[in-house]
């Protein structure tokens, strides 16, 4: 068991081996010379023999059990709930009901981290209960985080800490995913119908716009409220980037909530669409194959990507890394450099997504999720995505009216960014009602424009909120 | 600045910038299409000759393949 005492130091005591005759305990005593935990470690081995094996010693052999005994009942329930949720996410990911790329690593990380809670908390934040993944613990200040990093260094257990520190908490993973996504996007779909895509995408930002003042009513500052409301943009990398820029103190819970809901949106949006577009006749409207998109050459797409990126970076330099990453992926795709395109759309995208899912799962520890600052985020996050979904459908209806009934309103849901998940959702819904209807091209146009619109909003937030 | 003001400003700025991007896309697509039309009308006879030459080469390759198959039989 490990406990912290600023005067006497850190004391770890755990049984190494237990058998009938002998109980072997190892005790690691780490002394602190000053208040800022400058560790001088001394390893002391204790051997106790005889039949005096107490219940305490037996319990301390299984640190998970001793952590349950030392935890508050609601925390124990939450932990088991999150373990069950993690296993459920793996199951739903495997079944294809939720996005498997993200949900399987996330569910696994969530189940494992909530199982591996022990009486270990160098920051003494949650009554001494914690995990080896300490830096991200909710409420940890910068000094505490530094102390935790020192302790982990001394103990020699880094695990996912380097991935978290070097890619996650500095926003690099968001940019890498954006490059990968960019290399999969065909901007020909927005170039052939720019106004239709943009109108749908703007309406699909309803959640982002409305959640900001609502979040302020919950007591969050303008910066924090903006970082929370960007969840409505339904774009994971954008959420990571904006929360790092505007509210780094809420970065972990916002990222966890956003990705958790984005995964659930894949399963939840079809119900929202069917509820808001009850008419099967409307859902099964066939849209003509977009011949304009196929006429646009790769040179034209590259020219658009370069000009749009330069203009957007000029208008919102704060969000330049996002614009740069997305349009760099697009340019690589259209440039015809196969090696780079395969690199970005394959290893870079999938390695980043896998570690993102795993790290997010690891961050879904009960102490983080049940933090009083985090609970309102659960409400605001789902509200934001729900409003964006409703806004997208309204945009779809407006497009339907303005095009004289030629546009299937279901494509509105694709305006809620989350490339290409929502476009796939739209196509699935339509195909279920009318197997011959193909709306994917139009849905992808709105989808890609949704990413660009969310990036613009992120840029606006970062620029106007001081 | 309160939340409602930020939201309204964000909505306005986003709409303006997005429409600006849409206008740029339209102008770009139209001008590029115009350029490609102009280029097509300026296609030199040599380009056409090259295309015909390519066709002849393909026809010759097919004939060679047919001949070699007959020889093998």
């Amino acid at each position: 068991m490990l406990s912290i005492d600023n005067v006497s130091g850190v004391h770890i005591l755990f049984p190494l081996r237990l058998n009938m005759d002998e109980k072997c305990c190892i005790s690691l005593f780490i002394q602190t010379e000053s208040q800022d935990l400058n560790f001088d470690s001394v390893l002391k081995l204790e051997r106790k023999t005889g039949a005096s094996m107490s219940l305490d010693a037996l319990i301390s052999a299984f640190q998970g059990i001793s952590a349950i005994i030392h935890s508050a009942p609601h925390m124990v329930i939450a932990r088991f709930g999150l373990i069950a949720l993690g296993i459920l996410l793996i199951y739903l990911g495997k079944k294809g009901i939720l996005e498997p790329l993200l949900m399987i690593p996330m569910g696994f990380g969530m189940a494992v981290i909530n199982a591996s809670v022990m009486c270990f908390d160098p920051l003494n934040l949650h009554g001494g209960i914690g995990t080896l993944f300490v830096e991200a613990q909710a409420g940890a200040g910068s000094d505490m985080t530094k102390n935790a990093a020192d302790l982990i260094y001394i103990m020699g257990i880094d695990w996912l800490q380097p991935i978290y520190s070097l890619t996650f908490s500095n926003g690099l993973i968001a940019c890498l995913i954006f490059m990968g996504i960019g290399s999969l996007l065909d901007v020909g779909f927005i170039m052939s119908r720019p106004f239709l895509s943009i109108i749908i995408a703007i309406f699909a930002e309803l959640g982002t716009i409305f959640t900001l003042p609502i979040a302020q009513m919950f007591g969050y500052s303008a910066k924090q409220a903006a970082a929370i409301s960007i969840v409505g943009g339904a774009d994971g990398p954008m959420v990571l980037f904006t929360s790092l820029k505007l509210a780094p103190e809420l970065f972990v819970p916002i990222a966890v909530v956003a990705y958790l809901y984005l995964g659930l949106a894949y399963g939840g949006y079809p119900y929202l669409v069917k509820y808001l577009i009850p008419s099967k006749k409307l859902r099964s409207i066939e849209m003509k194959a977009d011949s304009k998109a196929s006429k646009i050459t790769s040179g034209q797409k590259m020219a658009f990507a370069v000009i749009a990126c330069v203009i957007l970076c000029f208008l919102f330099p704060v969000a330049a890394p996002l614009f740069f990453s997305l349009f760099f992926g697009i340019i690589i795709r259209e440039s015809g450099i196969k090696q780079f395109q395969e690199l970005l759309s394959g290893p870079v995208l999938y390695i980043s997504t896998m570690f993102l899912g795993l790290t997010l799962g690891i961050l879904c520890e009960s102490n983080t999720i049940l933090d009083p600052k985090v609970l309102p985020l659960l409400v605001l996050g789902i509200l934001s995505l729900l409003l964006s979904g409703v806004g997208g459908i309204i945009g779809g209806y407006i497009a339907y009216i303005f095009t004289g009934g030629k546009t299937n309103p279901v494509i509105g849901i694709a305006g809620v960014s989350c490339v290409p998940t929502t476009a796939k959702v739209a196509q699935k819904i339509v195909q279920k009602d009318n197997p011959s209807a193909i709306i994917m091209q139009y849905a992808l146009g709105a989808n890609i424009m949704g990413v660009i619109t969310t990036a613009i909003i992120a840029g606006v937030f970062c620029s106007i909120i001081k | 600045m309160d939340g409602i003001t930020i939201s309204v400003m964000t909505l306005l700025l986003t709409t303006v910038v997005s429409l600006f991007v849409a206008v740029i896309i339209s102008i770009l697509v139209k001008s590029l299409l115009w350029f490609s039309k102009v280029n097509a009308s300026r296609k030199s006879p040599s380009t056409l000759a090259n295309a015909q030459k390519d066709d002849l080469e393909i026809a010759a390759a097919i004939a060679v393949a047919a001949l070699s198959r007959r020889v093998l039989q």
Side-chain angles (χ1 to χ4, degrees):
Chain A
M1 192 180 294
L2 186 145
S3 62
I4 277 251
D5 182 340
N6 276 340
V7 180
S8 63
V10 184
H11 203 127
I12 302 172
L13 182 68
F14 58 92
L16 189 67
R17 189 176 67 235
L18 281 170
N19 59 39
M20 290 296 284
D21 304 321
E22 182 184 54
K23 185 181 78 169
C24 174
C25 292
I26 184 168
S27 165
L28 172 68
F29 186 71
I30 304 169
Q31 279 184 321
T32 53
E33 284 179 350
S34 63
Q35 286 288 322
D36 62 345
L37 291 181
N38 182 9
F39 296 103
D40 172 22
S41 52
V42 178
L43 190 70
K44 194 174 77 182
L45 187 69
E46 271 183 30
R47 259 172 201 274
K48 289 180 187 172
T49 54
S52 62
M53 196 170 75
S54 65
L55 185 65
D56 280 354
L58 185 66
I59 288 170
S60 64
F62 302 101
Q63 290 196 26
I65 296 171
S66 84
I68 287 174
I69 293 166
H70 287 91
S71 300
H74 71 282
M75 276 294 172
V76 176
I77 294 166
R79 274 181 55 199
F80 281 105
L82 287 169
I83 291 172
L85 179 63
I87 294 167
L88 182 70
L89 291 181
I90 297 171
Y91 173 76
L92 294 175
K94 172 79 179 111
K95 282 275 172 194
I97 298 166
L98 299 182
E99 182 66 63
L101 288 177
L102 201 62
M103 284 301 125
I104 290 178
M106 193 170 169
F108 184 64
M110 193 188 286
V112 168
I113 203 70
N114 284 290
S116 52
V117 174
M118 56 183 173
C119 296
F120 165 89
D121 187 356
L123 311 183
N124 207 18
L125 286 173
H126 310 292
I129 308 291
T131 69
L132 286 176
F133 199 78
V134 286
E135 189 183 350
Q137 287 182 18
S142 56
D143 289 343
M144 286 174 162
T145 301
K146 189 185 169 295
N147 294 342
D150 286 345
L151 184 70
I152 282 175
Y153 178 73
I154 288 164
M155 291 178 76
I157 306 167
D158 271 358
W159 197 27
L160 283 173
Q161 209 76 43
I163 302 274
Y164 175 81
S165 306
L166 299 175
T167 66
F168 199 88
S169 63
N170 58 8
L172 176 64
I173 208 160
C175 293
L176 290 177
I177 289 178
F178 247 36
M179 281 185 196
I181 290 173
S183 70
L184 295 174
L185 299 182
D186 186 350
V187 285
F189 299 127
I190 46 171
M191 289 177 78
S192 60
R193 297 269 184 279
F195 289 101
L196 175 75
S197 305
I198 278 170
I199 284 168
I200 291 173
I202 288 172
F203 273 95
E205 295 295 346
L206 197 74
T208 314
I209 301 298
F210 274 83
T211 309
L212 197 150
I214 297 171
Q216 276 201 317
M217 285 177 208
F218 274 79
Y220 291 104
S221 69
K223 282 184 172 185
Q224 288 173 335
I228 296 162
S229 68
I230 208 84
V231 174
D235 218 314
M238 213 78 73
V239 174
L240 294 181
F241 185 85
T242 315
S243 53
L244 271 172
K245 282 267 174 203
L246 294 176
E249 68 282 3
L250 283 180
F251 158 64
V252 170
I254 290 175
V256 168
V257 167
Y259 273 97
L260 200 62
Y261 285 146
L262 288 182
L264 297 176
Y266 189 65
Y269 272 152
Y271 295 101
L272 181 73
V273 172
K274 281 182 185 171
Y275 182 74
L276 293 175
I277 311 173
S279 161
K280 199 177 169 183
K281 197 180 158 193
L282 277 181
R283 291 202 305 263
S284 50
I285 291 174
E286 285 187 35
M287 293 176 80
K288 278 184 188 172
D290 195 355
S291 57
K292 268 188 185 176
S294 56
K295 281 180 190 164
I296 294 165
T297 64
S298 57
Q300 291 168 343
K301 291 173 193 171
M302 260 181 101
F304 158 68
V306 173
I307 294 171
C309 185
V310 168
I311 290 172
L312 290 173
C313 288
F314 178 71
L315 292 174
F316 308 109
V318 190
L322 282 182
F323 294 126
F324 171 81
S325 305
L326 181 72
F327 285 102
F328 179 69
I330 294 169
I331 286 167
I332 289 298
R333 178 195 157 93
E334 302 304 337
S335 68
I337 309 171
K338 259 193 173 180
Q339 295 88 336
F340 282 5
Q341 206 234 327
E342 282 168 6
L343 178 76
L344 289 183
S345 62
V348 169
L349 181 60
Y350 290 114
I351 289 174
S352 308
T353 308
M354 185 185 76
F355 278 115
L356 178 74
L358 202 57
T359 316
L360 283 166
I362 299 294
L363 293 172
C364 287
E365 199 239 315
S366 54
N367 283 316
T368 306
I369 298 291
L370 291 189
D371 191 280
K373 278 189 289 181
V374 178
L375 285 174
L377 290 181
L378 292 168
V379 180
L380 291 167
I382 201 139
L383 179 76
S384 190
L385 279 172
L386 188 73
L387 287 173
S388 289
V390 173
I393 299 293
I394 294 171
Y397 272 119
I398 288 171
Y400 167 77
I401 293 163
F402 275 89
T403 55
K406 285 177 188 166
T407 302
N408 191 324
V410 175
I411 64 164
I413 200 70
V416 192
S417 202
C418 202
V419 177
T421 306
T422 46
K424 281 198 283 185
V425 166
Q427 179 59 43
K428 262 188 181 177
I429 297 165
V430 171
Q431 215 159 5
K432 214 174 174 183
D433 293 319
N434 180 1
S436 62
I438 308 287
I439 55 142
M440 195 66 172
Q441 286 177 316
Y442 294 91
L444 276 170
N447 211 204
I448 299 165
M449 202 57 223
V451 180
I452 296 172
T453 314
T454 312
I456 293 171
I457 291 189
V460 173
F461 278 163
C462 293
S463 307
I464 64 171
I465 305 173
K466 302 288 179 196
Chain B
M1 222 184 321
D2 69 326
I4 295 167
T5 316
I6 295 169
S7 288
V8 172
M9 267 182 79
T10 307
L11 184 63
L12 284 174
L13 282 171
T14 308
T15 309
V16 169
V17 174
S18 300
L19 288 173
F20 181 55
V21 170
V23 170
I24 286 169
I25 294 171
S26 305
I27 294 169
L28 193 71
V29 170
K30 275 179 187 160
S31 57
L32 288 171
L33 283 175
W34 179 78
F35 271 117
S36 58
K37 264 185 193 171
V38 170
N39 279 342
S41 65
R42 277 186 195 165
K43 257 190 182 170
S44 63
S46 61
T47 318
L48 289 170
N50 281 339
Q52 281 170 351
K53 198 179 151 194
D54 287 345
D55 287 347
L56 282 174
E57 275 172 5
I58 290 164
I62 291 167
V64 169
L67 189 67
S68 55
R69 198 188 298 158
R70 205 175 288 171
V71 169
L72 284 171
Q73 279 170 353

